[in-house]
Amino acid sequence: MKTRIASVLIVTFLFCGATYSQVLIGPIAGVNYSWTSFGDKDLKDDYEVSPVVGYHVGGHLAFKVRKRFFLHSSIIYSTKGKNMKADDDDLRLNLRYKYIEMPIVYTAYFKGTIGQKQFKYSLGVGPNVSYWLGGKGTFENTDTHEFHNGPSSVIPVKIVFNRDPETATENEMIVQKPNRVQLGLNFTAGFLFEPARYREVVLTLRYELGHSYLSRESDGVFSSTFPTYSETQKIRNQGFRVSLAYLIDMKVEDRKKGKSTIDRRRPK
């Protein structure tokens, strides 16, 4: 069901773009500050979760809908994650998730002034569609201290999907039934600068509220060598994101044609 919703959002957004009077396109990149929240509130008392710093990079697209309203979207590669610990069993779990994401934000622009200089600022809201690629991290608890034969009790792990948990090796965390297509909600605020004609620099601060769990049906399972811990996947991503996009107006020629027609009709 979520896959269908995501597909409809993407196709509708791209189809509608051809009808808009102004289309801007360009690269986007920035910094993420993310964490996860538990679906089971009781777990909040057992584990301490702290944010991690990641990044995102990709392409950005903006369509003018009305005078001050734009639809903004990006196709980006993004990293998120969490640091988690529990003193009861000396647990230390640090994970970094990898995603392909498509945020779609309906944005309204407003004019402001500082002294005699004008600028534009924006507010926006819209869905976020994410596809979970995988991830990696490190794992440590009382079992790794006791049973691991390596030089350190900290075990590097890789997230693996759709495998029998019984086949997990020491360096794998298997999620048997992952929810790889995930939905969330974006709230944005930003500033727009115009360094040159038909060029825009857009600075955006975004808060992402995750809606989908990473998995409702299975936990992250480690090797049978470390049997006392499994990582709940009934968690949601949350976080802040700062992005900088450099956009070029792709429909400049349409406006030029309109101006040349007007000039030819002007009486001498």
Side-chain angles (χ1 to χ4, degrees), residues 124-137:
V125 64
N128 191 59
V129 183
S130 304
Y131 184 76
W132 190 14
L133 297 173
K136 61 182 180 178

Side-chain angles (χ1 to χ4, degrees), residues 58-261:
H60 190 82
L61 196 63
F63 305 135
K64 185 176 182 180
V65 182
R66 297 180 63 184
K67 183 176 181 180
R68 66 170 62 183
F69 295 99
F70 279 76
L71 276 175
H72 283 264
S73 185
S74 307
I75 299 293
I76 56 176
Y77 173 84
S78 175
T79 63
K80 308 177 185 181
K82 65 177 179 181
N83 293 328
M84 190 172 74
K85 65 180 182 178
D87 293 331
D88 289 347
D89 58 357
D90 292 327
L91 173 70
R92 300 291 185 272
L93 180 63
N94 303 318
L95 291 177
R96 302 295 182 271
Y97 307 122
K98 299 181 293 183
Y99 283 91
I100 295 294
E101 295 188 277
M102 185 176 180
I104 302 172
V105 181
Y106 190 68
T107 305
Y109 281 94
F110 307 91
K111 290 184 178 180
T113 57
I114 299 178
Q116 294 183 347
K117 293 185 178 181
Q118 287 191 344
F119 66 96
K120 293 181 181 179
Y121 63 94
S122 67
L123 297 173
V125 64
N128 191 59
V129 183
S130 304
Y131 184 76
W132 190 14
L133 297 173
K136 61 182 180 178
T138 60
F139 170 62
E140 177 185 9
N141 73 350
T142 53
D143 285 338
T144 66
H145 285 273
E146 183 175 355
F147 299 114
H148 182 53
N149 296 321
S152 171
S153 59
V154 178
I155 309 299
V157 294
K158 178 182 179 181
I159 298 173
V160 180
F161 299 129
N162 305 316
R163 284 246 311 270
D164 185 344
E166 296 296 326
T167 66
T169 66
E170 185 176 85
N171 297 109
E172 292 179 335
M173 184 182 85
I174 292 181
V175 183
Q176 190 174 20
K177 296 180 180 180
N179 179 23
R180 300 189 70 177
V181 178
Q182 300 167 16
L183 299 179
L185 188 61
N186 298 305
F187 300 92
T188 70
F191 294 91
L192 185 150
F193 309 94
E194 297 179 336
R197 195 177 185 188
Y198 309 132
R199 303 289 190 272
E200 293 183 0
V201 175
V202 181
L203 177 66
T204 305
L205 173 65
R206 182 178 88 175
Y207 171 66
E208 177 192 345
L209 177 63
H211 170 72
S212 305
Y213 292 126
L214 273 63
S215 176
R216 284 183 173 272
E217 302 180 54
S218 59
D219 291 341
V221 178
F222 295 86
S223 167
S224 58
T225 308
F226 315 120
T228 61
Y229 180 77
S230 61
E231 163 70 359
T232 179
Q233 299 299 291
K234 201 172 182 181
I235 53 178
R236 299 183 177 98
N237 285 305
Q238 291 180 254
F240 291 96
R241 180 171 295 180
V242 179
S243 303
L244 189 66
Y246 182 78
L247 305 179
I248 300 173
D249 192 334
M250 302 301 292
K251 290 199 171 184
V252 174
E253 292 302 322
D254 292 345
R255 293 203 297 272
K256 287 182 177 179
K257 290 178 182 178
K259 290 180 180 178
S260 63
T261 301

